[in-house]
Coordinates of all heavy atoms in Angstrom, one line a residue:
M1 N 86.6 115.7 128.5 CA 86.4 115.5 127.1 C 84.9 115.8 126.8 O 84.0 115.4 127.5 CB 86.8 114.1 126.6 CG 86.6 113.9 125.2 SD 87.4 112.3 124.7 CE 87.6 112.6 123.0
D2 N 84.7 116.5 125.7 CA 83.3 116.9 125.3 C 82.6 115.6 124.8 O 83.2 114.7 124.2 CB 83.4 117.9 124.1 CG 83.9 119.2 124.6 OD1 83.7 119.6 125.7 OD2 84.5 119.9 123.7
A3 N 81.3 115.5 125.1 CA 80.5 114.4 124.7 C 80.1 114.6 123.2 O 79.8 115.7 122.8 CB 79.2 114.3 125.6
I4 N 80.1 113.5 122.5 CA 79.7 113.5 121.1 C 78.2 113.5 121.1 O 77.6 112.6 121.7 CB 80.3 112.4 120.3 CG1 81.8 112.5 120.2 CG2 79.7 112.3 118.9 CD1 82.5 111.4 119.6
I5 N 77.5 114.4 120.4 CA 76.1 114.5 120.3 C 75.6 114.0 119.0 O 74.3 113.9 118.8 CB 75.5 115.9 120.6 CG1 76.0 116.9 119.6 CG2 75.9 116.3 122.1 CD1 75.3 118.2 119.7
G6 N 76.4 113.8 118.0 CA 76.0 113.3 116.7 C 77.1 113.0 115.8 O 78.3 113.4 116.0
F7 N 76.9 112.2 114.8 CA 77.9 111.9 113.8 C 77.2 111.8 112.4 O 76.2 111.1 112.3 CB 78.5 110.5 114.1 CG 79.5 110.0 113.1 CD1 80.8 110.4 113.2 CD2 79.1 109.2 112.1 CE1 81.8 109.9 112.3 CE2 80.0 108.8 111.2 CZ 81.4 109.1 111.3
K8 N 77.6 112.5 111.5 CA 77.0 112.5 110.1 C 78.2 112.5 109.1 O 79.1 113.2 109.3 CB 76.1 113.7 109.9 CG 74.9 113.7 110.7 CD 73.8 112.8 110.2 CE 72.6 113.0 111.0 NZ 71.5 112.2 110.5
E9 N 78.0 111.8 108.0 CA 78.9 111.8 106.9 C 78.5 113.0 106.0 O 77.3 113.2 105.8 CB 78.9 110.5 106.2 CG 79.9 110.5 105.0 CD 79.8 109.2 104.2 OE1 79.4 108.2 104.8 OE2 80.3 109.2 103.1
M10 N 79.5 113.7 105.4 CA 79.2 114.7 104.5 C 80.2 114.7 103.4 O 81.3 114.1 103.5 CB 79.1 116.1 105.2 CG 80.4 116.5 105.8 SD 80.2 118.1 106.7 CE 79.7 117.4 108.3
T11 N 79.9 115.4 102.3 CA 80.8 115.5 101.2 C 81.3 116.9 101.0 O 80.5 117.8 101.1 CB 80.1 115.0 99.9 OG1 79.6 113.7 100.1 CG2 81.0 115.0 98.7
V12 N 82.6 117.1 100.8 CA 83.1 118.4 100.5 C 82.9 118.7 99.0 O 83.3 117.9 98.2 CB 84.6 118.4 100.9 CG1 85.2 119.8 100.6 CG2 84.9 118.0 102.3
S13 N 82.4 119.9 98.7 CA 82.1 120.2 97.3 C 83.4 120.6 96.6 O 84.4 120.8 97.3 CB 81.1 121.4 97.3 OG 81.8 122.6 97.6
S14 N 83.3 120.8 95.3 CA 84.5 121.2 94.5 C 85.0 122.6 95.0 O 86.1 122.9 94.8 CB 84.1 121.2 93.1 OG 83.1 122.1 92.8
K15 N 84.1 123.4 95.6 CA 84.5 124.7 96.1 C 85.0 124.6 97.6 O 85.3 125.6 98.2 CB 83.4 125.6 96.1 CG 82.9 126.0 94.7 CD 81.8 127.0 94.7 CE 81.3 127.3 93.3 NZ 80.2 128.3 93.4
G16 N 85.1 123.4 98.1 CA 85.6 123.2 99.5 C 84.5 123.5 100.5 O 84.8 123.7 101.7
Q17 N 83.2 123.5 100.1 CA 82.1 123.8 101.0 C 81.5 122.5 101.6 O 81.6 121.5 101.0 CB 81.0 124.5 100.3 CG 81.5 125.9 99.7 CD 80.5 126.5 98.7 OE1 79.8 125.7 98.0 NE2 80.4 127.8 98.8
I18 N 81.0 122.6 102.8 CA 80.3 121.6 103.5 C 79.0 122.1 104.1 O 78.9 123.3 104.3 CB 81.1 120.9 104.6 CG1 81.5 121.9 105.7 CG2 82.4 120.2 104.1 CD1 82.0 121.3 107.0
V19 N 78.1 121.3 104.3 CA 76.8 121.7 105.0 C 76.8 121.0 106.3 O 76.9 119.7 106.4 CB 75.6 121.3 104.1 CG1 74.3 121.6 104.8 CG2 75.6 122.1 102.8
I20 N 76.6 121.7 107.4 CA 76.5 121.1 108.7 C 75.0 120.6 108.8 O 74.1 121.4 108.6 CB 76.7 122.2 109.8 CG1 78.2 122.7 109.7 CG2 76.5 121.5 111.2 CD1 78.5 123.9 110.6
P21 N 74.8 119.4 109.0 CA 73.4 118.8 109.1 C 72.6 119.7 110.1 O 73.0 120.1 111.1 CB 73.6 117.4 109.6 CG 75.0 117.0 109.2 CD 75.8 118.3 109.3
K22 N 71.3 119.9 109.7 CA 70.4 120.7 110.4 C 70.3 120.4 111.9 O 70.4 121.3 112.8 CB 69.0 120.7 109.8 CG 68.1 121.7 110.4 CD 66.7 121.7 109.7 CE 65.9 122.8 110.3 NZ 64.6 123.0 109.5
N23 N 70.2 119.1 112.3 CA 70.0 118.7 113.7 C 71.3 119.1 114.5 O 71.2 119.4 115.6 CB 69.7 117.3 113.8 CG 70.8 116.3 113.3 OD1 71.4 116.6 112.3 ND2 70.9 115.2 114.0
L24 N 72.5 119.0 113.9 CA 73.7 119.4 114.6 C 73.9 120.9 114.6 O 74.3 121.5 115.6 CB 74.9 118.7 113.9 CG 74.9 117.2 113.9 CD1 76.1 116.7 113.2 CD2 74.9 116.6 115.3
R25 N 73.5 121.5 113.5 CA 73.7 123.0 113.4 C 72.8 123.7 114.4 O 73.2 124.6 115.1 CB 73.3 123.4 112.0 CG 73.5 124.8 111.6 CD 73.2 125.1 110.2 NE 71.8 124.8 109.8 CZ 71.4 124.0 108.8 NH1 72.3 123.4 108.0 NH2 70.2 123.8 108.5
N26 N 71.5 123.3 114.5 CA 70.6 124.0 115.4 C 71.0 123.8 116.9 O 70.7 124.8 117.7 CB 69.2 123.4 115.2 CG 68.6 123.9 113.9 OD1 69.1 124.8 113.2 ND2 67.6 123.2 113.4
S27 N 71.6 122.7 117.3 CA 71.9 122.5 118.7 C 73.2 123.3 119.1 O 73.3 123.7 120.2 CB 72.1 121.1 119.0 OG 73.2 120.5 118.3
T28 N 74.1 123.6 118.2 CA 75.3 124.2 118.5 C 75.5 125.6 117.9 O 76.1 126.5 118.5 CB 76.5 123.3 118.0 OG1 76.3 122.0 118.5 CG2 77.8 123.8 118.5
F29 N 75.0 125.8 116.7 CA 75.1 127.0 116.0 C 73.8 127.6 115.6 O 73.4 127.5 114.5 CB 76.0 126.8 114.8 CG 77.4 126.4 115.1 CD1 77.7 125.0 114.9 CD2 78.4 127.2 115.6 CE1 79.0 124.6 115.2 CE2 79.6 126.8 115.9 CZ 80.0 125.5 115.7
P30 N 73.1 128.3 116.5 CA 71.8 128.9 116.1 C 72.0 129.9 115.0 O 73.1 130.5 114.9 CB 71.3 129.6 117.4 CG 72.2 129.2 118.5 CD 73.4 128.5 117.9
E31 N 71.0 130.2 114.3 CA 71.1 131.1 113.2 C 71.6 132.5 113.7 O 71.2 133.0 114.7 CB 69.7 131.3 112.5 CG 69.8 132.2 111.3 CD 68.4 132.4 110.6 OE1 67.5 131.6 110.9 OE2 68.3 133.4 109.9
G32 N 72.6 133.0 112.9 CA 73.2 134.3 113.3 C 74.4 134.2 114.2 O 75.1 135.2 114.5
S33 N 74.7 133.0 114.7 CA 75.8 132.8 115.6 C 77.1 132.9 114.8 O 77.1 132.6 113.6 CB 75.7 131.5 116.4 OG 75.8 130.4 115.6
H34 N 78.2 133.1 115.5 CA 79.5 133.2 114.8 C 80.3 131.9 115.2 O 80.3 131.5 116.3 CB 80.3 134.5 115.2 CG 79.6 135.7 114.8 ND1 79.9 136.3 113.6 CD2 78.7 136.5 115.4 CE1 79.2 137.4 113.4 NE2 78.4 137.5 114.5
A35 N 81.1 131.5 114.2 CA 81.9 130.2 114.4 C 83.3 130.5 114.0 O 83.6 131.4 113.3 CB 81.3 129.1 113.6
A36 N 84.2 129.7 114.6 CA 85.6 129.7 114.3 C 86.1 128.4 113.8 O 85.6 127.4 114.3 CB 86.5 130.1 115.5
I37 N 86.9 128.4 112.7 CA 87.4 127.1 112.2 C 88.8 127.0 112.7 O 89.6 127.9 112.5 CB 87.4 127.1 110.7 CG1 85.9 127.1 110.2 CG2 88.1 125.8 110.2 CD1 85.8 127.2 108.7
V38 N 89.1 125.9 113.4 CA 90.4 125.7 114.0 C 91.0 124.5 113.3 O 90.5 123.4 113.3 CB 90.3 125.4 115.5 CG1 91.7 125.3 116.1 CG2 89.5 126.5 116.2
A39 N 92.2 124.8 112.6 CA 92.8 123.7 111.8 C 94.0 123.1 112.5 O 94.8 123.9 113.1 CB 93.2 124.3 110.5
Y40 N 94.0 121.8 112.6 CA 95.1 121.1 113.2 C 95.8 120.3 112.0 O 95.3 120.3 110.9 CB 94.6 120.1 114.3 CG 94.0 120.8 115.4 CD1 92.7 121.1 115.4 CD2 94.8 121.1 116.6 CE1 92.1 121.7 116.5 CE2 94.2 121.7 117.6 CZ 92.8 122.1 117.6 OH 92.3 122.7 118.7
A41 N 96.9 119.6 112.3 CA 97.6 118.8 111.3 C 96.7 117.7 110.8 O 96.7 117.3 109.6 CB 98.9 118.3 111.8
D42 N 95.9 117.1 111.6 CA 95.1 115.9 111.2 C 93.6 116.1 111.3 O 92.8 115.2 111.0 CB 95.5 114.7 112.1 CG 95.1 114.9 113.6 OD1 94.9 116.1 114.0 OD2 95.1 114.0 114.3
H43 N 93.1 117.3 111.7 CA 91.6 117.5 111.7 C 91.3 119.0 111.7 O 92.2 119.8 112.0 CB 91.0 116.7 112.8 CG 91.3 117.2 114.2 ND1 92.4 117.0 114.8 CD2 90.5 118.0 115.0 CE1 92.4 117.6 116.0 NE2 91.3 118.2 116.1
I44 N 90.0 119.3 111.5 CA 89.5 120.6 111.6 C 88.4 120.6 112.6 O 87.5 119.7 112.6 CB 89.0 121.1 110.2 CG1 90.2 121.3 109.3 CG2 88.3 122.5 110.4 CD1 89.8 121.7 107.9
E45 N 88.3 121.6 113.4 CA 87.2 121.8 114.4 C 86.4 123.0 114.0 O 87.0 124.1 113.7 CB 87.7 121.9 115.8 CG 88.3 120.6 116.4 CD 88.8 120.8 117.8 OE1 88.6 121.9 118.4 OE2 89.3 119.8 118.3
I46 N 85.1 123.0 114.1 CA 84.3 124.2 114.0 C 83.7 124.4 115.4 O 83.0 123.6 115.9 CB 83.1 124.0 113.0 CG1 83.7 123.6 111.6 CG2 82.3 125.2 112.9 CD1 82.6 123.2 110.6
R47 N 84.1 125.5 116.0 CA 83.7 125.9 117.3 C 83.0 127.2 117.4 O 83.2 128.1 116.5 CB 85.0 126.0 118.2 CG 85.8 124.8 118.4 CD 85.3 124.0 119.5 NE 86.3 123.0 119.9 CZ 86.2 122.3 121.0 NH1 85.2 122.6 121.9 NH2 87.0 121.3 121.3
P48 N 82.1 127.3 118.4 CA 81.5 128.7 118.5 C 82.6 129.7 118.8 O 83.5 129.4 119.5 CB 80.6 128.5 119.8 CG 80.3 127.0 119.8 CD 81.5 126.4 119.3
L49 N 82.5 130.8 118.2 CA 83.5 131.9 118.3 C 83.7 132.2 119.8 O 84.8 132.5 120.2 CB 83.2 133.1 117.5 CG 84.2 134.2 117.5 CD1 85.6 133.7 117.0 CD2 83.8 135.4 116.6
S50 N 82.6 132.3 120.5 CA 82.7 132.7 122.0 C 83.6 131.7 122.7 O 84.4 132.1 123.6 CB 81.3 132.7 122.6 OG 80.7 131.5 122.5
Y51 N 83.5 130.4 122.4 CA 84.3 129.4 123.0 C 85.8 129.6 122.8 O 86.7 129.6 123.6 CB 83.9 128.0 122.5 CG 84.8 126.9 123.0 CD1 84.6 126.2 124.2 CD2 85.9 126.4 122.3 CE1 85.4 125.2 124.7 CE2 86.7 125.4 122.7 CZ 86.5 124.8 123.9 OH 87.3 123.8 124.3
V52 N 86.1 129.9 121.5 CA 87.5 130.1 121.1 C 88.1 131.4 121.8 O 89.2 131.4 122.3 CB 87.7 130.2 119.6 CG1 89.1 130.6 119.2 CG2 87.3 128.8 119.0
L53 N 87.3 132.4 121.8 CA 87.8 133.7 122.4 C 88.0 133.5 123.9 O 88.9 134.1 124.5 CB 86.8 134.8 122.1 CG 86.7 135.2 120.6 CD1 85.7 136.3 120.4 CD2 88.1 135.7 120.1
E54 N 87.1 132.8 124.5 CA 87.2 132.5 126.0 C 88.5 131.8 126.3 O 89.2 132.1 127.2 CB 86.0 131.7 126.4 CG 86.1 131.3 127.9 CD 84.9 130.4 128.3 OE1 83.7 130.8 127.9 OE2 85.1 129.3 128.8
K55 N 88.8 130.8 125.4 CA 90.0 130.0 125.7 C 91.3 130.8 125.4 O 92.3 130.6 125.9 CB 90.0 128.7 124.8 CG 88.9 127.8 125.1 CD 89.1 127.2 126.5 CE 88.0 126.3 126.9 NZ 88.0 125.8 128.2
L56 N 91.2 131.8 124.4 CA 92.4 132.6 124.1 C 92.5 133.8 124.9 O 93.5 134.5 124.8 CB 92.3 133.0 122.6 CG 92.5 131.9 121.6 CD1 92.2 132.4 120.2 CD2 93.8 131.3 121.7
E57 N 91.5 134.1 125.7 CA 91.5 135.4 126.5 C 92.8 135.6 127.2 O 93.4 136.7 127.2 CB 90.3 135.5 127.4 CG 90.2 136.8 128.2 CD 89.0 136.8 129.1 OE1 88.4 135.8 129.3 OE2 88.7 138.0 129.5
C58 N 93.3 134.6 128.0 CA 94.5 134.8 128.7 C 95.7 135.1 127.8 O 96.5 136.0 128.1 CB 94.7 133.5 129.6 SG 96.2 133.6 130.6
A59 N 95.8 134.3 126.8 CA 96.9 134.5 125.8 C 96.9 135.9 125.2 O 97.9 136.6 125.1 CB 96.9 133.4 124.8
L60 N 95.7 136.3 124.8 CA 95.5 137.6 124.1 C 95.9 138.8 125.1 O 96.5 139.7 124.7 CB 94.1 137.8 123.5 CG 93.8 136.8 122.4 CD1 92.3 137.0 122.0 CD2 94.7 137.1 121.2
T61 N 95.4 138.6 126.3 CA 95.7 139.7 127.3 C 97.1 139.7 127.8 O 97.7 140.7 128.1 CB 94.8 139.7 128.5 OG1 94.9 138.4 129.1 CG2 93.3 139.9 128.1
S62 N 97.8 138.6 127.7 CA 99.2 138.5 128.2 C 100.2 138.9 127.1 O 101.3 139.2 127.4 CB 99.5 137.0 128.6 OG 98.7 136.6 129.6
Q63 N 99.8 138.8 125.8 CA 100.7 139.0 124.7 C 101.5 140.3 124.8 O 102.7 140.3 124.6 CB 100.0 138.9 123.4 CG 100.8 138.8 122.2 CD 101.3 140.1 121.7 OE1 100.7 141.1 121.9 NE2 102.5 140.1 121.0
P64 N 100.9 141.5 125.1 CA 101.6 142.7 125.2 C 102.8 142.7 126.2 O 103.9 143.1 125.9 CB 100.6 143.8 125.5 CG 99.3 143.2 125.0 CD 99.4 141.7 125.3
S65 N 102.5 142.1 127.4 CA 103.5 142.1 128.4 C 104.6 141.1 128.0 O 105.8 141.3 128.3 CB 103.0 141.8 129.8 OG 102.2 140.6 129.8
F66 N 104.2 139.9 127.4 CA 105.2 139.0 127.0 C 106.1 139.5 125.9 O 107.3 139.2 125.8 CB 104.6 137.7 126.6 CG 104.1 136.8 127.7 CD1 102.9 136.1 127.6 CD2 104.8 136.7 128.9 CE1 102.5 135.3 128.7 CE2 104.4 135.9 129.9 CZ 103.2 135.2 129.8
A67 N 105.5 140.3 125.0 CA 106.2 140.8 123.9 C 107.4 141.7 124.3 O 108.5 141.7 123.7 CB 105.3 141.7 123.0
K68 N 107.2 142.4 125.4 CA 108.3 143.2 126.0 C 109.5 142.4 126.3 O 110.7 142.7 126.1 CB 107.9 144.0 127.2 CG 106.9 145.1 126.8 CD 106.4 145.8 128.1 CE 105.2 146.7 127.8 NZ 104.6 147.2 129.0
E69 N 109.3 141.2 126.9 CA 110.3 140.3 127.4 C 110.9 139.4 126.3 O 112.0 139.0 126.3 CB 109.8 139.4 128.5 CG 109.4 140.2 129.8 CD 110.5 141.0 130.4 OE1 111.7 140.4 130.5 OE2 110.3 142.1 130.9
W70 N 110.0 139.0 125.4 CA 110.4 138.0 124.4 C 110.7 138.5 123.0 O 111.1 137.8 122.1 CB 109.3 137.0 124.3 CG 109.1 136.1 125.5 CD1 110.0 136.1 126.6 CD2 108.1 135.1 125.8 NE1 109.5 135.2 127.5 CE2 108.4 134.5 127.0 CE3 107.0 134.7 125.1 CZ2 107.6 133.6 127.6 CZ3 106.2 133.7 125.6 CH2 106.5 133.1 126.9
D71 N 110.5 139.8 122.8 CA 110.7 140.3 121.4 C 112.1 140.8 121.3 O 112.4 142.0 121.2 CB 109.7 141.5 121.2 CG 109.7 141.8 119.7 OD1 110.1 141.0 118.9 OD2 109.2 142.9 119.4
T72 N 113.0 139.8 121.2 CA 114.4 140.1 121.1 C 115.0 139.2 119.9 O 114.4 138.2 119.6 CB 115.2 139.7 122.4 OG1 115.1 138.3 122.6 CG2 114.7 140.5 123.6
P73 N 116.1 139.6 119.3 CA 116.7 138.7 118.3 C 117.0 137.3 118.8 O 116.8 136.3 118.1 CB 118.0 139.5 117.9 CG 117.7 140.9 118.3 CD 116.8 140.8 119.5
E74 N 117.4 137.2 120.1 CA 117.8 135.9 120.6 C 116.5 135.0 120.7 O 116.6 133.8 120.4 CB 118.4 136.0 122.0 CG 119.7 136.7 122.0 CD 119.7 138.2 122.0 OE1 118.6 138.8 122.1 OE2 120.7 138.9 121.8
E75 N 115.4 135.6 121.1 CA 114.1 134.8 121.2 C 113.7 134.4 119.8 O 113.2 133.3 119.6 CB 113.1 135.6 121.9 CG 113.3 135.8 123.4 CD 113.2 134.4 124.1 OE1 112.5 133.5 123.7 OE2 113.8 134.3 125.2
D76 N 113.8 135.3 118.9 CA 113.4 135.0 117.5 C 114.2 133.8 117.0 O 113.6 132.9 116.3 CB 113.6 136.2 116.6 CG 112.6 137.4 116.9 OD1 111.6 137.1 117.5 OD2 112.9 138.5 116.4
Q77 N 115.5 133.8 117.2 CA 116.3 132.7 116.8 C 115.9 131.4 117.5 O 115.9 130.4 116.8 CB 117.8 133.0 117.0 CG 118.8 131.9 116.6 CD 118.7 131.7 115.1 OE1 118.7 132.7 114.3 NE2 118.7 130.5 114.6
A78 N 115.6 131.5 118.8 CA 115.2 130.3 119.5 C 113.9 129.7 118.9 O 113.8 128.5 118.7 CB 115.1 130.6 121.0
W79 N 113.0 130.5 118.6 CA 111.7 130.1 118.0 C 111.9 129.5 116.6 O 111.3 128.5 116.2 CB 110.7 131.2 118.0 CG 110.0 131.4 119.3 CD1 110.2 132.5 120.2 CD2 109.2 130.5 120.0 NE1 109.5 132.3 121.3 CE2 108.8 131.1 121.3 CE3 108.6 129.3 119.7 CZ2 108.0 130.5 122.2 CZ3 107.7 128.7 120.7 CH2 107.5 129.3 121.9
D80 N 112.8 130.2 115.8 CA 113.1 129.7 114.5 C 113.7 128.3 114.6 O 113.3 127.4 113.8 CB 114.1 130.6 113.8 CG 113.4 131.9 113.3 OD1 112.1 131.9 113.3 OD2 114.1 132.8 113.0
N81 N 114.6 128.0 115.5 CA 115.2 126.7 115.7 C 114.2 125.7 116.1 O 114.2 124.6 115.6 CB 116.3 126.8 116.7 CG 117.5 127.5 116.2 OD1 117.7 127.7 115.0 ND2 118.4 128.0 117.1
L82 N 113.2 126.1 117.0 CA 112.2 125.1 117.4 C 111.3 124.8 116.2 O 110.9 123.6 116.1 CB 111.4 125.7 118.6 CG 112.0 125.7 119.9 CD1 111.2 126.6 120.9 CD2 112.2 124.3 120.4
L83 N 110.9 125.8 115.4 CA 110.1 125.6 114.3 C 110.7 124.7 113.3 O 110.1 123.7 112.8 CB 109.7 126.9 113.6 CG 108.8 126.8 112.4 CD1 107.5 126.2 112.7 CD2 108.6 128.2 111.8
E84 N 112.0 124.9 113.0 CA 112.7 124.0 112.1 C 112.7 122.6 112.6 O 112.5 121.6 111.8 CB 114.2 124.5 111.9 CG 114.3 125.8 111.1 CD 115.7 126.3 111.1 OE1 116.7 125.5 111.3 OE2 115.9 127.5 110.8
H85 N 113.0 122.4 113.9 CA 113.0 121.1 114.5 C 111.6 120.4 114.4 O 111.5 119.2 114.0 CB 113.5 121.2 115.9 CG 113.6 119.8 116.6 ND1 114.5 118.9 116.3 CD2 112.8 119.3 117.6 CE1 114.3 117.8 117.1 NE2 113.3 118.1 117.9
A86 N 110.6 121.2 114.6 CA 109.2 120.6 114.6 C 108.9 120.2 113.1 O 108.3 119.1 112.9 CB 108.2 121.6 115.1
L87 N 109.3 121.0 112.2 CA 109.0 120.7 110.8 C 109.8 119.4 110.3 O 109.3 118.6 109.6 CB 109.3 121.8 109.9 CG 108.4 123.1 110.0 CD1 109.0 124.2 109.2 CD2 107.0 122.7 109.6
E88 N 111.0 119.3 110.8 CA 111.8 118.1 110.5 C 111.2 116.9 111.1 O 111.1 115.8 110.4 CB 113.2 118.2 111.0 CG 114.1 119.2 110.3 CD 115.4 119.5 111.0 OE1 115.7 118.9 112.0 OE2 116.1 120.4 110.5
N89 N 110.7 116.9 112.3 CA 110.0 115.8 112.9 C 108.7 115.4 112.2 O 108.4 114.3 112.0 CB 109.7 116.1 114.4 CG 111.0 116.0 115.3 OD1 112.0 115.4 114.9 ND2 110.9 116.6 116.4
E90 N 108.0 116.4 111.8 CA 106.7 116.2 111.1 C 107.0 115.5 109.8 O 106.3 114.6 109.4 CB 106.0 117.5 110.8 CG 104.6 117.4 110.2 CD 103.9 118.7 110.1 OE1 103.7 119.3 111.1 OE2 103.6 119.1 108.9
Q91 N 108.0 115.9 109.1 CA 108.4 115.3 107.8 C 108.8 113.8 107.9 O 108.5 113.0 107.1 CB 109.4 116.1 107.0 CG 108.9 117.4 106.6 CD 110.0 118.3 106.0 OE1 111.2 118.0 106.1 NE2 109.6 119.5 105.5
T92 N 109.5 113.5 109.0 CA 110.0 112.1 109.2 C 108.9 111.2 109.7 O 108.9 110.0 109.5 CB 111.1 112.1 110.2 OG1 110.7 112.6 111.5 CG2 112.4 112.8 109.7
E93 N 107.8 111.8 110.3 CA 106.7 111.0 110.8 C 105.7 110.6 109.6 O 105.0 109.7 109.7 CB 105.9 111.8 111.8 CG 106.7 111.9 113.1 CD 105.9 112.7 114.2 OE1 104.8 113.2 113.9 OE2 106.5 112.9 115.2
T94 N 105.7 111.4 108.5 CA 104.8 111.1 107.4 C 105.4 110.2 106.4 O 106.5 109.8 106.4 CB 104.3 112.4 106.8 OG1 105.4 113.2 106.3 CG2 103.5 113.2 107.7

């Protein structure tokens, strides 16, 4: 698990904007660096883009070969059923 290096409260503006405090910004996101926003059901993470791309590299390079095997009407139906089930579970949990 990653170590927490800081904690600051911030306010989201009416435009949905936030400001990353300078001391946290400088240590993780130097000026000119690229970031990725990763949204989950219960939180949002701001990560260096290089970190996200590194973690996705295997999935991105595997996708073309998996597409040949998994791009069938039967697979589409199976994924649709899983998605419906996941959405039903999410609604009953809230």
Side-chain angles (χ1 to χ4, degrees):
M1 182 172 200
D2 294 329
I4 295 174
I5 61 168
F7 177 88
K8 294 281 187 176
E9 180 180 342
M10 62 185 87
T11 302
V12 179
S13 76
S14 61
K15 293 181 180 181
Q17 298 169 324
I18 60 168
V19 175
I20 301 170
K22 186 175 183 175
N23 64 323
L24 299 177
R25 183 176 64 233
N26 289 343
S27 63
T28 307
F29 299 102
E31 185 176 341
S33 63
H34 295 269
I37 297 175
V38 184
Y40 296 88
D42 63 342
H43 69 283
I44 293 174
E45 293 180 359
I46 303 172
R47 297 270 191 170
L49 183 60
S50 59
Y51 173 88
V52 173
L53 293 177
E54 177 185 310
K55 297 297 181 185
L56 290 176
E57 183 178 15
C58 180
L60 293 173
T61 56
S62 301
Q63 194 277 334
S65 56
F66 284 141
K68 293 176 189 173
E69 298 295 322
W70 289 354
D71 194 16
T72 65
E74 295 82 11
E75 288 293 334
D76 291 342
Q77 182 62 44
W79 283 109
D80 287 344
N81 289 341
L82 286 172
L83 180 59
E84 288 174 22
H85 182 67
L87 291 173
E88 288 171 4
N89 284 341
E90 185 177 298
Q91 290 172 354
T92 58
E93 290 175 3
T94 56

